[in-house]
Amino acid sequence: MNSAVSPFELLQLDGLLSDEERQIQAVVRQLMDRRVRGDVGHWYDSGHAPVRDLANEFGKLGLLGMHLTGYGCAGSSAVAYGLACMELEAADSGVRSLVSVQGSLAMYAIWRYGTEEQKQQWLPGMAAGQLIGCFGLTEPDHGSDPASMATRARRDGDDWILHGGKMWITNAPLADVAVVWARAEEGVRGFLVPMSTPGVTAREIKQKLSLRASSTGEIVLDEVRLPASAQLPEAQGLKAPLSCLTEARYGIVWGSLGAARDCFDTAVAYSQSRIQFGKPIASFQLTQAKLANMALELQKGFLLALHLGRAADDGRLTPEMVSAGKLNNVREAIKIARECRTILGANGISGEYSVLRHANNLESVLTYEGTSEIHQLVLGQKLTGIAAFS
Amino acid sequence: MKIVVLVKQVPDSGAERNLRPDDNTVDRSSANNVINEMDEYAIEEALRLQEAHGGEVTILTMGPERASESIRKALSMGPDGAVHVLDNALSGTDALGTSRVLAAALQRINPDVVLCGAESTDAGGQVLPHMLAERLGIAALTGARKLTVEGSQLTIERQTEEGYEVVTAATPAVVSVWDTINEPRYPSFKGIMAAKKKPVETLSLADLGVSAEQVGWTGALTGVASHSKRPPRSAGQKVADSGEGGVQLVEFLTNEKFV
């Protein structure tokens, strides 16, 4: 048998990365091999991941808020952050979600819109993984249309009173602090809500069939009294939380590729060792056609992600570009995961292999941080000048 | 405390490795080159000494241009700087020649402690720490599984087949370590990004006052005459269990000195 090459070796895409970027990628991959890959199937099965332990280890490495500067953050390039997301999600989308929510949503919101005191109070501990953050924008009745949110913020003297609820909030059940978005008289405003504040409760969402190695919760805010210092002063309007989502989406552009790559690697290895009709199924033309097509999409997705990463590092990245990346790469990743499942046949549905776990995870990834349909509409608006929503 | 860690770039021992057919040297061109595994433990031990006692940690590498990749990787773990001995005349240098060059470099740096892996995964000679100590006229504490420092007193637990020996010496000294001594850290992202800004001094043979005749092919006192592939494994021994299987297994393991 000729030696097999990875899809990224096929086009020598590795050569587009700097030594430093490759080293960061390799370190994350090693950490996943050592700490996650062997156990994640069990976490998924039991619906419980050791999030705090993982956060501590990720913090030591510098993964949390790695693309932010100062306050204990590593200050890496956007490309390096993307590569880290790819390796995290090659292990599991839930593990990547933990890092995305901590770094791109919660930490970024504080870093971008917070006061110096808020940054000093929260960011170093969050970068180290000792404090866990979550991000409350989505509500039970308001998903793609966050502008219609029902959570309200009203003034009471110098204090704020928050009332409402948030849904599908990654890490909410174990978080120390939530970045909560609420509608005030003057518009949408952001608040740092310690989860121990009276009136705040978080409930774990059970019976998930996706992202089971990740903690997801509902936050109930019952007349929660916060001091004026809890408000993020630089966040004015819905643009602020949407800018956080763009940050996290960027990580998904890379991360989804990682999940697809892991499925691909699994399918190639399986096809080489699975004997049917007296020969490895890798020798059948239909299998090879599937593998060739998937390898193409992986490479195209990588080039797209890298293009966005380089643009981000040059300060040229727009939200529409990120929408294009998320739309394409997650859509292709879930197709690849399902196609790989067919190569593994019945074994494809077993938790002994990663492919159906990835495919199930990607169902969530397809929807969160802007559904595929919303990203199509974002691009549609850009292409036609007409907004189909709003 | 001034600590130097010797770092050698070797072909990845996890991949297929070859000797070149023409001159019997390790084929480094096609191999994935990495930091010699045991040297990572030496780096970790140096960083722990630095954390406990202060001072600075310098990486010392002799090797071709591409060895600079391994130097950067070593620096990403946390050392302060590096010295790279780089000279075309070094190609073909044997262990004696290498010890001559490294000793000359160490005399320039004048460290209190020289740490290195107990062996390399390519040559596996385990001779360099002794040669260096001899050339420098300092103590050699080799094969350590534990190292403690009190003032200028170094104490190691020297790993042996039966157990360990406690050996002490005063600084300066060469200490070689096994992989039982610690668990090397992962480079952090900050470490990786800081590594490219750390100083790496490149020295030639002339800088070190070593003549080209004393090293390389001409200066080598040892050489590899020929090499061949290891023969394929023989079939092994099957034990059919008819009630005595366990005993036979234990006897086999005892005879092979596994237990």
Side-chain angles (χ1 to χ4, degrees):
Chain A
M1 198 181 299
N2 289 323
S3 63
V5 301
S6 87
F8 300 130
E9 285 167 13
L10 201 63
L11 290 187
Q12 300 180 4
L13 298 184
D14 213 33
L16 298 174
L17 302 175
S18 71
D19 283 346
E20 183 182 297
E21 287 161 353
R22 273 194 290 262
Q23 201 187 344
I24 285 178
Q25 182 181 11
V27 169
V28 180
R29 189 187 289 217
Q30 283 163 18
L31 180 65
M32 292 303 104
D33 286 344
R34 181 173 62 88
R35 187 65 180 85
V36 175
R37 226 175 285 279
D39 292 327
V40 69
H42 171 67
W43 300 340
Y44 194 92
D45 221 23
S46 64
H48 179 79
V51 175
R52 284 217 170 255
D53 294 348
L54 290 176
N56 267 311
E57 289 206 38
F58 294 175
K60 269 184 211 144
L61 186 60
L63 264 168
L64 304 175
M66 66 182 276
H67 62 308
L68 306 178
T69 50
Y71 311 98
C73 304
S76 79
S77 68
V79 171
Y81 174 49
L83 289 162
C85 288
M86 186 160 89
E87 294 307 326
L88 288 163
E89 196 152 352
D92 190 82
S93 301
V95 174
R96 198 268 307 137
S97 296
L98 158 65
V99 172
S100 288
V101 169
Q102 179 85 347
S104 282
L105 292 179
M107 291 176 71
Y108 177 78
I110 299 169
W111 183 83
R112 172 74 180 77
Y113 299 111
T115 63
E116 186 57 30
E117 291 72 35
Q118 289 167 337
K119 293 178 197 181
Q120 296 286 0
Q121 184 187 350
W122 294 107
L123 291 179
M126 293 174 82
Q130 287 148 7
L131 297 172
I132 305 280
C134 64
F135 184 89
L137 177 65
T138 298
E139 300 183 353
D141 298 325
H142 307 276
S144 292
D145 180 17
S148 64
M149 68 175 66
T151 301
R152 290 285 181 269
R154 65 170 201 274
R155 294 225 186 234
D156 185 43
D158 283 346
D159 291 348
W160 286 95
I161 309 290
L162 263 58
H163 190 81
K166 298 291 175 181
M167 191 71 178
W168 303 114
I169 310 304
T170 300
N171 289 346
L174 53 106
D176 300 288
V177 64
V179 175
V180 172
W181 302 92
R183 184 167 290 286
E185 222 167 68
E186 52 268 59
V188 171
R189 294 293 181 269
F191 300 89
L192 290 176
V193 184
M195 295 300 280
S196 56
T197 311
V200 180
T201 47
R203 181 184 66 85
E204 179 98 32
I205 297 174
K206 303 278 185 189
Q207 292 190 303
K208 285 184 302 176
L209 299 177
S210 174
L211 288 184
R212 290 181 54 79
S214 169
S215 173
T216 315
E218 176 184 8
I219 301 176
V220 176
L221 303 154
D222 182 15
E223 297 290 309
V224 177
R225 180 174 291 273
L226 296 168
S229 62
Q231 195 205 336
L232 294 168
E234 305 299 321
Q236 306 279 334
L238 196 60
K239 275 196 168 169
L242 295 186
S243 75
C244 301
L245 292 183
T246 300
E247 288 286 304
R249 247 168 231 155
Y250 167 78
I252 294 172
V253 174
W254 287 90
S256 54
L257 275 181
R261 186 196 69 200
D262 191 58
C263 293
F264 182 87
D265 290 344
T266 304
V268 170
Y270 187 88
S271 70
Q272 289 168 328
S273 61
R274 173 75 174 175
I275 311 290
Q276 289 294 287
F277 304 102
K279 53 187 177 180
I281 61 171
S283 40
F284 293 112
Q285 293 181 1
L286 285 176
T287 305
Q288 293 196 1
K290 287 178 185 178
L291 294 174
N293 288 341
M294 291 191 287
L296 286 187
E297 291 307 328
L298 275 172
Q299 292 166 97
K300 283 148 71 179
F302 182 89
L303 286 169
L304 176 55
L306 186 60
H307 173 67
L308 298 188
R310 298 284 182 231
D313 285 327
D314 287 348
R316 293 182 285 109
L317 189 67
T318 65
E320 292 79 17
M321 290 164 77
V322 180
S323 283
K326 198 219 168 205
L327 175 60
N328 182 77
N329 284 11
V330 181
R331 199 162 63 180
E332 295 305 327
I334 199 167
K335 275 191 216 161
I336 288 171
R338 290 169 178 160
E339 186 89 306
C340 288
R341 212 285 308 152
T342 68
I343 291 176
L344 270 76
N347 282 318
I349 71 158
S350 162
E352 301 236 333
Y353 295 91
S354 62
V355 291
L356 194 61
R357 174 167 53 81
H358 283 307
N360 281 354
N361 282 338
L362 288 166
E363 293 287 351
S364 297
V365 180
L366 194 67
T367 287
Y368 73 17
E369 316 280 342
T371 64
S372 286
E373 292 77 7
I374 288 292
H375 291 303
Q376 286 174 316
L377 297 183
V378 167
L379 298 183
Q381 179 181 11
K382 198 72 185 168
L383 294 168
T384 64
I386 305 167
F389 60 101
S390 75
Chain B
M1 178 175 280
K2 214 173 193 183
I3 306 162
V4 168
V5 187
L6 306 182
V7 169
K8 184 182 189 183
Q9 188 181 49
V10 296
D12 188 349
S13 58
E16 192 185 328
R17 294 170 293 171
N18 289 301
L19 295 176
R20 299 191 336 171
D22 53 346
D23 60 10
N24 295 311
T25 61
V26 175
D27 184 357
R28 295 171 200 279
S29 60
S30 60
N32 183 22
N33 295 300
V34 298
I35 295 176
N36 177 46
E37 188 190 342
M38 218 61 77
D39 298 349
E40 292 187 12
Y41 295 84
I43 297 168
E44 175 64 36
E45 199 60 23
L47 295 171
R48 291 184 187 190
L49 285 185
Q50 184 187 36
E51 282 156 12
H53 303 281
E56 66 181 63
V57 177
T58 305
I59 298 296
L60 173 58
T61 292
M62 177 182 122
E65 186 70 47
R66 64 193 308 172
S68 61
E69 296 162 18
S70 292
I71 292 174
R72 288 292 168 202
K73 279 196 182 154
L75 289 175
S76 69
M77 288 174 74
D80 302 287
V83 173
H84 184 181
V85 183
L86 173 67
D87 200 304
N88 286 338
L90 286 168
S91 177
T93 302
D94 64 359
L96 271 170
T98 302
S99 70
R100 183 185 295 278
V101 173
L102 291 179
L106 286 168
Q107 272 166 341
R108 264 175 77 108
I109 306 169
N110 197 25
D112 300 300
V113 178
V114 179
L115 274 159
C116 59
E119 68 176 12
S120 59
T121 54
D122 54 356
Q126 298 186 22
V127 292
L128 202 74
H130 307 272
M131 288 177 171
L132 278 176
E134 185 65 22
R135 287 194 189 276
L136 295 167
I138 63 177
L141 297 175
T142 56
R145 66 168 208 180
K146 186 177 179 195
L147 168 64
T148 46
V149 179
E150 281 174 58
S152 62
Q153 185 80 3
L154 304 177
T155 304
I156 68 158
E157 287 181 9
R158 183 177 207 273
Q159 190 172 308
T160 67
E161 275 193 27
E162 289 78 25
Y164 66 91
E165 301 162 353
V166 176
V167 189
T168 62
T171 57
V174 179
V175 181
S176 72
V177 305
W178 288 113
D179 55 3
T180 42
I181 197 165
N182 58 42
E183 185 61 42
R185 68 195 64 190
Y186 280 91
S188 71
F189 294 166
K190 277 186 196 168
I192 291 171
M193 289 185 288
K196 64 184 173 193
K197 298 181 196 107
K198 288 180 178 172
V200 178
E201 186 185 11
T202 305
L203 298 176
S204 65
L205 286 174
D207 293 330
L208 293 175
V210 176
S211 84
E213 285 76 44
Q214 292 173 301
V215 297
W217 295 110
T218 46
L221 296 179
T222 58
V224 179
S226 69
H227 70 272
S228 59
K229 284 263 179 202
R230 181 164 53 187
R233 286 181 183 214
S234 52
Q237 187 186 330
K238 261 191 192 160
V239 177
D241 185 13
S242 49
E244 296 285 298
V247 177
Q248 285 185 55
L249 282 176
V250 171
E251 274 173 4
F252 173 81
L253 293 172
T254 312
N255 288 339
E256 299 290 323
K257 291 190 175 157
F258 287 123
V259 291

